[in-house]
Amino acid sequence: MAGPAPAAPLALSLGEPAGVGPEIVAAAWEALKATGPAFAVVGDAALLRRQGCPVHPIADAGEAAAVFPRALPVLDRPLPAPVAPGRPDPANAAAVADWIEEAVALAVSGAASGVVTAPIAKAPLYAAGFRFPGHTEFLAELTADVPFAGTRGPVMMLTARDLRAALVTIHEPLSAVPALVTAERVRHVARVVHEALRRDFGIAAPRLALAALNPHAGEGGAMGREEIEVLGPAAAALRAEGVAITDPLPADTLFHDAARAGYDAAVCLYHDQALIPVKTLDFWGGVNVTLGLPVVRTSPDHGTGFDIAGKGVARPDSLIAAVKLAGEMAGRRAAAPNA
């Protein structure tokens, strides 16, 4: 369900310059230039010109909407080192982090309506001293002091077509997951998702499905007791708060067409439990959404694609979907700022 258009453009950080980011950003502009939502790229204008699209450097994000139908608006922040597709250079890592930080600052100030982030590569960032596991944690840090009326995340949610799948744990070894899936953590993630579905997705009465940890939801304790001792009580406590959420359901029957019709988002317990159904349903068009932040943030649900960078074969579907979703979410926040 589309929402009202945002009043300000989106800020799009260009991401890892040696990956597919520059080419999919150019392709996304080509696909959206006639319809929007408009976005301003925070990145290297010369690098984007190499993608073959018209580029127009701008002095501030407010110029983006007027420029967008005829050229890609760029807040030009040149890189210090040359870029070779497929070969990331730690010399450019600080600039990549700065692009993200500036995009977030634009959203915090209101000059941008939200943030879309092209993929980053962790290794060159870590080599340059970046201390965050990824985008999500970095954005949480950048917005930690920004007022926010809701339950604060960050919570990662993946979307694909009619499926929304939020994560209780993210990049954790499977052996560590049972100890990390606490009742408190489940309740917190579910609250963030419930509020975000109302605020950012326009769903007045969200319905959540809770995935079980064990096969057959533990089979009454025969295959594990987490459903009895942790997940079931967490779901009951959430319902007492007014959050509509199921008891833990077997994950192997949670994602088929008829099952998806019964809920608005699934609360999943570990990485592959959410990402396998999302990527099976729409491998090219999935979107990563960060919930529970004072700014809207989306990104493509894929990485830097070093193996295909510079070959002109990268598909922009996921970035296009991320821009569209960010525009819809930002429009709803602008229409109901206190929701």
XYZ file of all heavy atoms in Angstrom, residues 175-213:
294
model
N 24.924 -22.109 16.731
C 25.110 -22.689 18.054
C 24.856 -21.693 19.172
O 24.551 -22.085 20.301
C 26.531 -23.241 18.186
O 27.488 -22.207 17.994
N 24.977 -20.385 18.872
C 24.781 -19.359 19.894
C 23.335 -18.888 19.992
O 22.964 -18.211 20.960
C 25.683 -18.161 19.605
N 22.515 -19.236 19.014
C 21.169 -18.661 18.925
C 20.284 -19.008 20.124
O 19.633 -18.116 20.690
C 20.504 -19.053 17.592
C 19.003 -18.728 17.607
C 21.182 -18.334 16.430
N 20.192 -20.263 20.559
C 19.257 -20.562 21.655
C 19.469 -19.706 22.898
O 18.497 -19.250 23.520
C 19.517 -22.044 21.942
C 19.986 -22.594 20.638
C 20.824 -21.501 20.041
N 20.720 -19.454 23.270
C 20.977 -18.644 24.465
C 20.633 -17.183 24.245
O 20.305 -16.459 25.199
C 22.448 -18.781 24.879
N 20.695 -16.734 22.984
C 20.422 -15.327 22.678
C 18.928 -15.039 22.517
O 18.510 -13.889 22.600
C 21.161 -14.915 21.401
C 22.692 -14.912 21.489
C 23.290 -14.674 20.111
C 23.162 -13.851 22.474
N 18.149 -16.072 22.265
C 16.704 -15.891 22.092
C 16.053 -15.890 23.470
O 15.566 -16.903 23.963
C 16.116 -16.975 21.176
C 14.585 -16.824 21.091
C 16.710 -16.869 19.776
N 16.074 -14.735 24.105
C 15.455 -14.580 25.420
C 14.059 -13.987 25.268
O 13.742 -13.356 24.247
C 16.301 -13.649 26.295
O 16.316 -12.341 25.686
C 17.725 -14.162 26.427
N 13.247 -14.160 26.295
C 11.897 -13.594 26.262
C 11.957 -12.074 26.139
O 11.166 -11.467 25.403
C 11.129 -14.006 27.518
N 12.898 -11.458 26.833
C 13.022 -10.008 26.769
C 13.362 -9.533 25.362
O 12.796 -8.557 24.861
C 14.095 -9.530 27.747
C 14.297 -8.020 27.763
C 15.388 -7.591 28.726
O 16.042 -8.460 29.330
O 15.595 -6.371 28.872
N 14.262 -10.249 24.719
C 14.662 -9.852 23.369
C 13.519 -10.042 22.377
O 13.284 -9.194 21.507
C 15.873 -10.704 22.960
C 16.739 -10.104 21.900
C 18.088 -10.812 21.874
N 18.964 -10.224 20.896
C 20.228 -10.574 20.750
N 20.763 -11.504 21.541
N 20.978 -10.008 19.819
N 12.809 -11.132 22.494
C 11.663 -11.379 21.610
C 10.612 -10.287 21.791
O 10.066 -9.757 20.819
C 11.068 -12.778 21.876
C 9.732 -12.944 21.142
C 12.053 -13.860 21.454
N 10.325 -9.948 23.045
C 9.321 -8.908 23.297
C 9.770 -7.575 22.712
O 8.966 -6.846 22.119
C 9.063 -8.772 24.801
C 8.355 -9.957 25.423
C 7.785 -9.607 26.800
N 8.815 -9.122 27.714
C 9.499 -9.891 28.549
N 9.277 -11.207 28.561
N 10.400 -9.378 29.368
N 11.037 -7.239 22.886
C 11.527 -5.957 22.382
C 11.407 -5.888 20.863
O 10.899 -4.897 20.312
C 12.983 -5.748 22.797
C 13.578 -4.479 22.264
N 13.306 -3.249 22.803
C 14.412 -4.255 21.210
C 13.939 -2.313 22.117
N 14.611 -2.892 21.143
N 11.863 -6.913 20.172
C 11.787 -6.911 18.704
C 10.337 -6.829 18.249
O 9.997 -6.066 17.331
C 12.480 -8.166 18.132
C 12.178 -8.327 16.640
C 13.984 -8.078 18.357
N 9.463 -7.583 18.873
C 8.054 -7.569 18.475
C 7.435 -6.192 18.679
O 6.639 -5.729 17.847
C 7.278 -8.623 19.252
N 7.782 -5.500 19.777
C 7.260 -4.145 19.994
C 7.731 -3.201 18.898
O 6.949 -2.387 18.379
C 7.707 -3.620 21.353
C 7.080 -4.295 22.553
C 7.529 -3.621 23.847
N 7.264 -4.436 25.015
C 8.200 -5.014 25.763
N 9.491 -4.849 25.474
N 7.856 -5.732 26.814
N 9.013 -3.274 18.551
C 9.549 -2.404 17.495
C 8.827 -2.672 16.177
O 8.433 -1.737 15.469
C 11.069 -2.614 17.341
C 11.596 -1.864 16.117
C 11.808 -2.139 18.585
N 8.639 -3.942 15.847
C 7.973 -4.290 14.590
C 6.523 -3.819 14.602
O 6.029 -3.229 13.623
C 8.053 -5.811 14.350
C 7.241 -6.200 13.111
C 9.506 -6.246 14.191
N 5.829 -4.071 15.695
C 4.421 -3.648 15.820
C 4.286 -2.142 15.588
O 3.428 -1.688 14.807
C 3.908 -4.041 17.211
C 2.553 -3.503 17.549
N 1.384 -4.102 17.146
C 2.188 -2.401 18.271
C 0.361 -3.403 17.595
N 0.818 -2.377 18.281
N 5.126 -1.365 16.248
C 5.044 0.097 16.104
C 5.426 0.538 14.703
O 4.806 1.455 14.132
C 5.955 0.769 17.136
C 5.486 0.587 18.571
C 6.498 1.126 19.572
O 7.419 1.864 19.169
O 6.376 0.795 20.773
N 6.442 -0.093 14.112
C 6.878 0.297 12.771
C 5.825 -0.022 11.725
O 5.642 0.743 10.767
C 8.195 -0.391 12.431
N 5.132 -1.136 11.867
C 4.082 -1.461 10.904
C 2.981 -0.406 10.933
O 2.414 -0.053 9.886
C 3.505 -2.842 11.194
C 4.433 -4.026 10.915
C 3.754 -5.336 11.316
C 4.851 -4.080 9.460
N 2.678 0.111 12.099
C 1.671 1.167 12.201
C 2.194 2.492 11.655
O 1.530 3.158 10.859
C 1.233 1.334 13.654
C 0.548 0.103 14.235
C 0.088 0.339 15.660
N -0.914 1.392 15.730
C -1.401 1.896 16.852
N -0.955 1.443 18.011
N -2.314 2.836 16.831
N 3.388 2.875 12.091
C 3.944 4.191 11.766
C 4.425 4.273 10.318
O 4.132 5.226 9.605
C 5.106 4.486 12.715
C 5.830 5.807 12.446
C 7.019 5.965 13.367
N 7.951 4.852 13.235
C 8.231 3.987 14.196
N 7.678 4.081 15.387
N 9.081 2.984 13.994
N 5.178 3.271 9.875
C 5.891 3.353 8.600
C 5.225 2.604 7.458
O 5.526 2.862 6.294
C 7.317 2.816 8.768
C 8.140 3.631 9.756
O 7.901 4.845 9.861
O 9.015 3.045 10.427
N 4.341 1.658 7.794
C 3.710 0.854 6.752
C 2.202 1.073 6.650
O 1.550 0.471 5.814
C 4.034 -0.630 6.968
C 5.472 -0.978 6.707
C 6.441 -0.770 7.681
C 5.868 -1.491 5.483
C 7.768 -1.072 7.442
C 7.197 -1.802 5.236
C 8.145 -1.584 6.208
N 1.660 1.903 7.520
C 0.247 2.247 7.417
C -0.707 1.123 7.768
O -1.843 1.097 7.291
N -0.278 0.192 8.615
C -1.129 -0.928 9.016
C -1.693 -0.618 10.407
O -0.962 -0.617 11.395
C -0.337 -2.243 9.025
C 0.214 -2.528 7.618
C -1.203 -3.404 9.520
C 1.184 -3.690 7.558
N -2.964 -0.360 10.483
C -3.567 0.129 11.721
C -3.550 -0.910 12.835
O -3.365 -0.577 14.008
C -5.001 0.593 11.451
N -3.761 -2.166 12.487
C -3.819 -3.230 13.498
C -2.911 -4.375 13.047
O -3.382 -5.375 12.498
C -5.250 -3.717 13.689
N -1.615 -4.249 13.280
C -0.672 -5.252 12.773
C -0.891 -6.629 13.390
O -1.218 -6.770 14.569
C 0.693 -4.686 13.187
C 0.461 -3.238 13.443
C -0.931 -3.143 13.963
N -0.662 -7.655 12.570
C -0.724 -9.046 13.003
C 0.671 -9.645 12.848
O 1.220 -9.661 11.743
C -1.722 -9.828 12.147
C -3.143 -9.260 12.133
C -3.919 -9.848 10.950
N -3.252 -9.539 9.686
C -3.475 -10.197 8.542
N -4.338 -11.208 8.512
N -2.838 -9.848 7.434
N 1.232 -10.137 13.933
C 2.561 -10.718 13.907
C 2.482 -12.233 14.077
O 1.661 -12.740 14.835
C 3.434 -10.139 15.018
C 3.583 -8.612 15.079
C 4.569 -8.232 16.182
C 4.024 -8.054 13.744
N 3.361 -12.920 13.367
C 3.524 -14.355 13.552
C 4.892 -14.595 14.174
O 5.888 -14.026 13.728
C 3.415 -15.083 12.219
N 4.957 -15.416 15.198
C 6.211 -15.733 15.865
C 6.689 -17.105 15.408
O 5.977 -18.098 15.551
C 6.027 -15.725 17.384
C 7.245 -16.108 18.229
C 8.413 -15.149 17.972
C 6.876 -16.115 19.706
N 7.891 -17.140 14.838
C 8.456 -18.417 14.411
C 8.991 -19.190 15.607
O 9.542 -18.614 16.549
C 9.570 -18.180 13.399
N 8.841 -20.492 15.564
C 9.412 -21.354 16.593
C 10.906 -21.550 16.338
O 11.400 -21.333 15.228
C 8.695 -22.690 16.598
N 11.614 -21.978 17.356
C 13.043 -22.270 17.219
C 13.279 -23.706 16.773
O 14.133 -23.979 15.927
C 13.745 -22.019 18.548
C 15.243 -22.311 18.582
C 16.006 -21.353 17.666
C 15.769 -22.207 20.013
